């Protein structure tokens, strides 16, 4: 595009542009919510409304110019809302817009072409002419002038412009303002285009931000021209780009919208940061790379060969067998043997191999250290002054060294640089030896740790292999023997032992091996390569192994495999629980116990058959099975059960043989006895009855008897079935038994015939015996009703003996009558009731009871009257009299005419006359002094050592002094009650103590509650005063007086004690103040005396708190009374002191004593 001054130029541009419904800025550049472009002025709602209702002919209603924001509304949606007549479609509505003055000459577009499509429209040439002087065509630099004559070199002028346009041109500086200008005026202003440069935006890329400039100021490399048609970008050496104005604004709007996205908004910052970071990372990488090259041993020719050699040694260490699998060739293996193999492998093979590797590594290190040290020493000796290393010139500057004239200065300089570099290198390498030793030690530790972990992996693979069923381990690894116990099945070795071997012997042994591997780091030959800063501290391989999660996981997996296999083995072992009955039988079987049990043929047969069945089951038991890592060996279990059945069968066979022999002997003896009994022929009644009973019993038991003989035969048959050889003597017994059986059958028949023949004769004899027995009973009954038995004057002792004899005779006849009744039952006769026997027995017992009661009563009277009087008990005598009286009443009621009963009653009445004096003399309260008074009544001297009885006292006429004796006995009872009361009073004080309580922080105590002591005191003081007033206290008067004094002393002490304690508690905090002690020295001294007395008393009480003990201490009462007197004086002195203070300070009258003391104790003067 070109402009001319002083001439006319026509240029035509023909282009095809894509026109859409957003062409020429007729649409928004983004959603309504997007921020408006910076070049768009803000417009209120009212202005927008006015703009929408205004005509589009370039001016507002009433000559009001269209606001600059009108360009914002030129989109198809808003154009359709303008008030245009007959505008029903887009083309008709757009026609008035395109025919307005501001669009005239800009485009000549057929209105029949719809603007909403995307078709291509041919633009007619647009003629642009710029008047001026001295212009050039084809892009020359022309200076445009307006009608006003002002230079407008930044615009292309087509014709003269108005003053208003010219004024607006003065304010156009940016591309956005240019676009707004053309949107407002079109080409009617005569300004055809503006020159613009890209506005500098710093770091941010803003290609659509243009700045209006002078034609002479355009950037020759790239500048822009903006016209009503579009924007042209002119670049040196490149094709000129044309962008329609609408497309330009649309692209700018989209660009601005994109810039609001985070990525594009911060793109420049992100790019700069990433560029910076990539450069920094590269720099750091280079630094690290240089540091690694400088410090990496592999990058140093001196260390690299040794390092490769050590690495090969470490590889060999990882191949060392720590845990042997040699047992896999002959698995399974015993646990002890396995543990021994592992110990041998570890100590005799693995450890020497690892030590050999360490020795080789040590040799490599020592060689390297010698070489590096020697080289460093050589260079250090060759350099006498390190200043030489700083000389990098091409001449010899060091004095004393001849110049080398055969080499160039460049060669000399290169040699010096290489020499300095080598010197530093060898010194650095010498310093790196300590680190290299650490590295090699770390490599060896790593190899050892790795081998420990891989060994654990191999062990786990070995233990897991049996479950896969492949290889020799499919039969298990460890042999465990199954056995019965009392509570269940047990494995030997058990799970805990297997785990102990694996964990302690194998794994812990492996860890100890790791610990035992020599450490290069601590060898004496390398100690000189470590200084204070670089200490010889290395890794702890044991800690590394133990802390490795993978290692712990492997160990846990190994333990879990063993536990799971033992659990599975335990499940498998349950099939043997069915044979536990055999095991328990074997544990409990005892031949001695079995012998003591009752056994018959059926028992023998059952037990022997059971043992035979068990033996067959044992023979079929499985002897082994592989369960995972375990080879379960059940052969010992089977072998332990087999002897049980065999031993039991042998024992039972022996017992059966003995039982058969004993049974045969016993049965033979019973048959012989039966044959002997049945072979007799008795003639008297008793023997005939016995023979009949024996024959009847034999007949009743004939089947059992014959069965016993048959059992003997079956026993021997059972022994023969179990291949037991019967001794000859046993065969002889069986033969004799068979013979006795035949004899037995014959005797049974003949005995039955004999009984039938002799039965009637024996029945007649029995009747005669019964009659004789009844006559004898009647004779005894007659004797009991006459003679000495009923005579009351008879001697009771003789009568009791005679009646006992008669009773024995009656008992003998009763036994005979029972025998006769059994005979009658045997002969099926009518059984006699023997009524005379019952009458005779009853009469004899009645007579015996009467005479025995009389006899016993006379014996008791003899004891009471002739025994010691002090041993008499009135209560027991009365009880015995009552019992005899009841017996006499019953016997008299049973036989009213019995004169012996009358005699008993008479003797009882006679003795009752003595009961009055017996009751007085049998009083337990009688003491020696009372007996002396009683003896004085009969003018006798009482001697406590001499015994006396009632008969002697009555003989000396004590019975006539009964009233005096009663009086003495009564007095004794009352004196005894007083004595008991005194003893009870003393007992009441047992356990009664004074309760002492620690008082604050004084270090002493105070009395606690004394209610219990006071209550007992009040009660006993009244009682003792009443007792002393009694006329019967005289024997205990001294005791009662002493007791009363003790109680009174205790009462006075308690009163003074409580008074002293309360006053001491009140005064103690007062006189604890040093100020009070200074102001009242006399009272203070007295209080200290009281304080000492009180604390001493309390200290004694704490040690011996018994109330009765305290009451007997009269010195304590004196101390308390003295303390109370001193306390009275102290309180009076304290009151006088306070009164003086109140007179001196009248305001103190309004204070209590406690408040005054508190104030005075705080005063300083």
């Amino acid at each position: 595009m070109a402009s001319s001054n002083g001439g006319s130029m026509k240029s035509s541009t023909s282009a095809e542009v894509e026109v859409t419904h957003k062409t020429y800025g007729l649409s928004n550049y983004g959603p309504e919510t997007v921020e408006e472009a910076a070049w768009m002025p803000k417009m209120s709602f009212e202005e927008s409304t006015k703009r929408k209702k205004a005509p589009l002919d370039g001016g507002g209603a009433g000559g009001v110019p269209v606001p600059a924001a009108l360009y914002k509304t030129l989109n198809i949606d808003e154009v359709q809302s303008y008030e245009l007549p007959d505008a029903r479609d887009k083309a008709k509505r757009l026609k008035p817009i395109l025919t307005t003055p501001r669009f005239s000459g800009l485009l000549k577009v057929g209105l029949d072409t719809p603007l909403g499509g995307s078709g291509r429209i041919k633009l007619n040439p647009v003629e642009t002419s710029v008047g001026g002087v001295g212009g050039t065509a084809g892009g020359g630099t022309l200076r445009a002038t307006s009608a006003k004559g002002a230079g407008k070199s930044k615009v292309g002028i087509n014709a003269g412009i108005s003053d208003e346009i010219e004024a607006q041109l003065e304010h156009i500086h940016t591309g956005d303002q240019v676009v707004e200008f053309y949107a407002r005026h079109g080409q009617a202003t005569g300004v055809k285009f503006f020159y613009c440069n890209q506005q500098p935006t710093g770091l941010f890329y803003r290609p659509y931000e243009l700045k209006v400039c002078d034609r002479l100021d355009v950037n020759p490399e790239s500048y822009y021209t903006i016209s009503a048609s579009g924007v042209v970008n002119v670049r040196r050496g490149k094709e000129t780009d044309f962008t329609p104005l609408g497309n330009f604004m649309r692209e700018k709007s989209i660009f601005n919208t994109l810039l609001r996205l985070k990525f594009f908004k911060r793109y420049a910052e992100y790019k700069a940061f990433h560029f910076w970071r990539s450069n920094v990372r590269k720099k750091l990488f280079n630094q690290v790379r240089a540091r690694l090259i400088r410090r990496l041993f592999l990058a140093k020719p001196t260390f690299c060969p040794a390092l490769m050699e050590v690495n090969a040694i470490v590889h060999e260490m990882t191949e060392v067998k720590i845990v042997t699998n040699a047992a896999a060739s002959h698995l399974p293996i015993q646990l002890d043997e396995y543990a021994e193999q592992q110990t041998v492998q570890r100590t005799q093979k693995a450890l020497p191999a690892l030590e050999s590797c360490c020795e080789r590594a040590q040799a490599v290190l020592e060689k390297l250290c010698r070489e590096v040290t020697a080289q460093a020493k050589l260079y250090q000796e060759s350099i006498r002054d390190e200043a030489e290393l700083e000389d990098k010139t091409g001449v010899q500057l060091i004095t004393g060294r001849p110049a080398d004239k055969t080499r160039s200065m460049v060669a000399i300089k290169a040699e010096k640089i290489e020499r300095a570099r080598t010197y530093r290198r060898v010194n650095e390498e010498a310093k790196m030896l300590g680190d290299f030793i650490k590295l090699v030690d770390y490599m060896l530790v790593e190899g050892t740790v790795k081998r420990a972990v891989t060994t654990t992996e191999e062990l786990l693979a070995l233990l897991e292999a049996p479950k896969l069923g492949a290889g020799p381990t499919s039969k298990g690894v460890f042999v465990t023997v199954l056995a019965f116990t009392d509570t269940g099945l047990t494995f030997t070795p058990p799970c805990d032992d297997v785990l102990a071997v694996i964990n302690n012997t194998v794994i812990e042994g492996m860890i100890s091996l790791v610990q035992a591997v020599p450490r290069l780091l601590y060898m004496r030959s390398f100690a000189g390569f470590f200084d204070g800063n670089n200490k010889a501290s290395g890794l702890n391989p044991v800690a590394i192994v133990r802390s490795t999660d993978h290692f712990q996981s492997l160990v846990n997996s190994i333990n879990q495999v063993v536990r799971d296999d033992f659990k599975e083995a335990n499940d498998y072992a349950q099939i043997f629980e069915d044979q536990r009955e055999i095991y328990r039988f074997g544990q409990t079987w005892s031949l001695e116990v079995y012998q003591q049990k009752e056994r018959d043929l059926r028992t023998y047969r059952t037990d022997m058959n059971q043992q035979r069945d068990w033996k067959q089951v044992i023979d079929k038991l499985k002897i082994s099975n592989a369960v995972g890592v375990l080879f379960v060996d059940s052969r010992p279990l089977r072998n332990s059960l087999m002897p049980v059945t065999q031993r039991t069968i042998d024992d039972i066979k022996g017992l059966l043989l003995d039982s058969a022999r004993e049974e045969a002997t016993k049965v033979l003896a019973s048959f012989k006895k039966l044959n002997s009994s049945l072979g007799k022929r008795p003639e008297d009644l008793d023997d005939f009855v016995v023979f009949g009973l024996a024959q009847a019993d034999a007949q009743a038991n004939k089947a059992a008897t014959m069965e016993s003989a048959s059992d003997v035969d079956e026993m021997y048959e059972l022994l023969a079935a179990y291949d037991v050889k019967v001794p000859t003597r046993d065969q002889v017994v069986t033969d004799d038994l068979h013979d006795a059986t035949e004899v037995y059958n014959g005797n049974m028949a003949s005995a039955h015939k004999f009984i039938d023949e002799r039965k009637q004769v024996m029945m007649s004899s029995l009747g005669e015996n019964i009659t004789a027995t009844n006559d004898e009973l009647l004779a005894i009954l007659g004797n009991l009703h006459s003679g000495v038995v009923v005579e009351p004057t008879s001697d009771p002792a003789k009568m009791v003996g005679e009646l006992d004899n008669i009773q024995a005779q009656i008992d003998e006849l009763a036994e005979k009558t029972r025998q006769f009744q059994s005979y009658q039952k045997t002969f099926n006769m009518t059984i006699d009731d023997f009524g005379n026997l019952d009458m005779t027995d009853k009469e004899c017992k009645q007579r015996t009871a009467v005479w025995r009661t009389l006899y016993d009563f006379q014996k008791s009277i003899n004891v009471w009257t002739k025994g010691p009087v002090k041993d008499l008990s009135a209560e027991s005598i009365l009880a015995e009299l009552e019992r005899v009286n009841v017996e006499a009443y019953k016997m008299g009621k049973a036989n009213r005419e019995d004169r012996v009963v009358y005699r008993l009653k008479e003797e009882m009445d006679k003795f009752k006359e003595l009961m009055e004096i017996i009751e007085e003399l049998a009083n337990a309260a009688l003491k020696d002094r009372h007996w002396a008074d009683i003896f004085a009544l009969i003018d006798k001297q009482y001697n406590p050592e001499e015994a006396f009885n009632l008969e002697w006292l009555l003989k000396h006429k004590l019975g006539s002094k009964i009233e005096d004796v009663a009086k003495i006995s009564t007095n004794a009872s009352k004196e005894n009650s007083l004595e008991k009361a005194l003893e009870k009073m003393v007992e009441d004080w047992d356990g009664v103590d004074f309760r002492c309580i620690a008082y604050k922080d004084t270090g002493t105590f105070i009395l606690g509650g004394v209610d219990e002591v006071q209550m007992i005191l009040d009660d006993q003081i009244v009682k003792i005063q009443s007792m002393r007033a009694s006329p019967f206290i005289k024997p205990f008067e001294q005791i009662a007086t002493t007791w009363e004094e003790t109680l009174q002393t205790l009462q006075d002490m308690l009163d003074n004690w409580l008074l002293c304690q309360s006053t001491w508690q009140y005064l103690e905090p007062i006189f604890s103040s040093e100020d009070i002690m200074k102001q009242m020295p006399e009272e203070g001294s007295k209080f200290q005396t009281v304080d000492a007395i009180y604390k001493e008393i309390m200290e004694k009480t704490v040690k011996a708190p018994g109330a009765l003990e305290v009451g007997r201490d009269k010195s304590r009462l004196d101390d308390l009374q003295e303390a109370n007197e001193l306390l009275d004086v102290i309180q009076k002195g304290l009151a006088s002191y306070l009164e003086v203070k109140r007179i001196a300070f009248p305001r103190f009258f309004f204070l209590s004593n406690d408040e005054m003391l508190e104030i005075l104790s705080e005063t300083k003067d």
Side-chain angles (χ1 to χ4, degrees), residues 1141-1160:
K1141 293 298 181 182
R1142 284 192 175 97
I1143 293 174
F1145 303 97
R1147 69 188 73 178
F1148 285 167
F1149 282 101
F1150 298 98
L1151 300 178
S1152 64
N1153 290 346
D1154 294 340
E1155 292 172 338
M1156 283 186 64
L1157 290 171
E1158 182 179 359
I1159 294 172
L1160 294 174

Side-chain angles (χ1 to χ4, degrees), residues 511-732:
I511 293 176
S512 64
L513 176 64
V514 170
Q515 181 69 30
V517 173
R519 297 292 299 277
L520 301 178
L521 195 62
Y522 306 112
M523 290 184 178
R524 183 177 300 176
S525 57
F526 302 122
F529 297 99
F530 301 99
D531 52 14
N533 297 327
N534 187 15
K535 296 182 179 179
S537 60
L539 302 174
N540 185 352
V542 175
I544 294 175
V545 172
R546 291 188 186 278
S547 61
T548 303
D549 295 338
H550 182 54
F551 175 77
Q552 294 297 332
S553 176
L554 292 174
V555 174
N556 294 334
S557 299
I558 291 172
N559 292 335
Q560 190 62 40
V561 167
V562 175
R563 291 192 185 96
D564 292 343
D565 290 345
F566 264 100
K567 183 178 181 183
E568 187 176 350
N570 188 63
D571 295 338
Y572 158 74
Q574 297 305 312
I575 64 174
F576 296 95
E577 282 293 338
D578 296 338
Q579 283 70 51
R580 177 169 291 279
E581 183 180 2
I582 303 176
Y583 168 76
R584 290 176 178 170
F585 179 83
Q587 293 293 108
T588 59
W589 167 256
S590 173
L591 181 61
E592 292 76 10
V593 176
Y594 189 76
Q595 288 175 336
Q596 295 175 1
K597 294 181 180 179
E598 294 183 2
R599 304 177 306 281
D600 54 10
L601 178 62
R602 179 177 297 179
T603 303
Y604 281 115
R605 182 180 287 111
T606 301
D607 293 344
M608 295 181 71
N609 290 339
Q610 184 185 47
Q611 298 301 319
R612 182 186 60 193
D613 295 341
W614 281 353
K615 187 175 184 301
Q616 294 174 357
V617 171
I618 293 171
D619 292 337
K620 296 178 181 179
L621 286 179
K622 195 172 183 179
I623 62 175
S624 65
N625 187 36
V627 181
V629 74
L630 302 174
F631 178 79
V632 181
D633 186 6
S634 55
R635 185 190 301 272
L637 184 144
R638 189 187 71 168
N639 294 340
S640 66
L641 296 179
M642 292 180 66
V644 173
T645 57
Q646 189 61 44
R647 183 181 69 250
T648 305
I649 289 177
D650 293 341
D651 291 343
I652 294 177
K653 285 180 181 179
L655 289 177
L656 178 59
L657 182 59
D658 295 340
S659 297
R661 182 185 303 112
E662 293 175 0
E663 188 69 16
T665 303
K666 183 177 68 174
V667 172
L668 177 61
S670 66
F671 271 98
K672 288 181 178 180
K673 183 178 179 181
L674 288 173
N675 290 334
S676 175
S677 176
L678 295 174
K680 297 178 180 180
R681 295 295 180 265
E683 294 298 332
D684 60 333
L685 176 61
D686 293 337
D687 292 339
F688 182 81
V689 173
V690 172
F691 178 79
L693 292 175
Q695 189 277 335
D697 182 68
Q699 185 64 37
N701 297 324
K702 183 177 180 181
T705 303
M706 297 302 295
E707 184 179 359
S708 64
S710 177
D711 288 344
V712 172
D713 292 337
E714 291 183 6
M715 285 183 180
Y716 282 105
E717 291 175 1
L718 183 59
L719 289 171
Y722 279 90
D723 301 329
V724 178
K725 184 178 180 180
V726 179
T728 303
R729 61 176 182 175
D730 292 352
Q731 294 178 357
V732 172

Side-chain angles (χ1 to χ4, degrees), residues 114-367:
L115 295 176
S118 61
R120 305 182 67 84
I121 303 174
K122 190 75 172 182
L123 297 180
N124 293 328
V126 179
E127 297 180 358
T128 304
S129 61
V130 179
V133 180
T136 62
T141 303
L142 300 178
R143 191 176 300 278
T145 58
S146 65
K148 301 294 183 178
K152 299 292 187 286
S153 62
K154 63 182 178 180
V155 299
I157 309 283
N158 186 36
I161 59 176
S162 64
D163 294 337
E164 180 184 358
I165 296 302
E166 185 176 2
Q168 292 183 10
L169 291 176
E170 295 295 333
H171 300 288
I172 295 176
H173 304 290
T174 64
D176 293 340
Q177 292 173 345
V178 174
V179 173
E180 182 181 358
F181 174 81
Y182 281 119
R184 184 183 298 275
H185 302 291
Q187 290 186 350
T189 60
V191 179
K192 296 305 181 181
F193 59 86
F194 290 78
Y195 292 99
C196 298
N197 282 333
Q198 191 168 349
Q199 186 172 346
T201 57
L203 295 176
F204 301 100
Y205 177 64
R206 298 291 186 268
Y208 295 96
E209 299 296 332
L210 304 179
K211 180 179 181 181
V212 177
C213 64
D214 192 270
R215 176 67 182 86
L216 300 177
D217 297 330
V218 296
N219 185 3
E221 298 297 328
S222 176
Y223 68 92
Y224 296 84
T225 61
I226 303 177
S227 66
S229 300
V231 180
V232 178
N233 184 13
V234 181
R235 294 174 292 176
R236 186 193 300 273
K238 294 184 179 180
E239 184 180 356
T240 301
D241 293 334
F242 170 76
T243 303
L245 194 61
N247 288 354
F248 180 81
M249 298 308 296
R250 178 175 178 272
E251 290 175 3
K252 179 178 180 180
S253 178
I254 294 174
F255 181 80
N256 291 335
T257 302
L258 289 176
L259 285 182
R260 295 187 184 95
L261 299 178
K262 185 178 181 181
F263 175 77
F264 295 104
K265 186 177 182 180
R266 299 292 184 186
Y267 178 75
E269 300 173 8
Y270 291 160
K271 185 174 182 181
F273 173 74
H274 287 297
F275 179 76
W276 170 82
R277 186 174 64 172
S278 62
N279 283 276
V280 170
R281 290 184 65 184
K282 184 176 181 181
K283 182 179 179 180
L284 293 175
F285 172 78
N286 292 333
Q287 293 175 355
V288 174
R289 182 172 178 270
R291 190 181 303 114
L292 287 176
I293 293 174
R294 187 171 64 254
R295 301 292 297 171
L296 192 63
F297 293 109
L298 280 175
K300 294 185 176 296
T302 303
F303 295 99
C304 187
L307 191 61
M308 293 296 99
E309 193 171 350
V310 170
N311 191 45
I313 295 173
V314 171
H315 179 71
E316 291 182 16
M317 293 179 69
T318 59
E319 299 297 328
V320 174
K321 290 287 186 182
I322 299 178
V323 176
T324 178
N325 293 333
S329 60
H330 51 83
L331 291 175
I333 187 173
Q334 296 293 335
L335 185 63
D336 296 339
E337 183 181 354
Y338 176 79
E340 182 64 25
Q341 286 183 358
Q342 301 311 315
T343 303
V344 171
Q345 174 69 20
R346 185 172 63 253
T347 57
Q348 300 181 10
K349 297 181 180 180
L351 182 59
L354 293 175
E355 289 176 346
S356 175
C357 292
C358 290
E359 290 173 359
R360 290 163 54 196
Q362 179 184 358
V364 172
L365 272 179
E366 289 176 348
K367 178 182 178 182

Side-chain angles (χ1 to χ4, degrees), residues 1105-1138:
L1108 195 58
E1109 183 178 354
V1110 172
R1112 289 168 177 165
D1113 187 4
K1114 292 186 178 182
S1115 62
R1116 195 173 307 192
L1117 175 60
D1118 297 336
D1119 292 341
L1120 288 171
Q1121 289 174 347
E1122 180 184 356
N1124 284 328
E1125 291 175 359
L1126 290 175
L1127 288 174
D1128 289 340
V1129 175
I1130 293 170
Q1131 285 183 308
K1132 290 178 182 179
L1134 181 61
S1136 301
Y1137 173 74
L1138 295 178

Side-chain angles (χ1 to χ4, degrees), residues 422-454:
T422 304
Y423 178 79
R424 285 190 293 269
R425 177 179 62 79
V426 296
N427 285 333
E428 273 187 19
E429 289 176 351
K431 294 178 180 178
M432 293 172 66
L433 285 176
D435 293 337
F436 188 74
I437 295 170
K438 284 186 178 180
L439 175 61
V440 174
D441 183 76
Y442 290 176
M443 292 174 65
L444 295 178
V445 169
E446 180 187 6
T448 308
V449 170
K450 181 179 179 181
R451 186 54 190 146
V453 175
T454 55

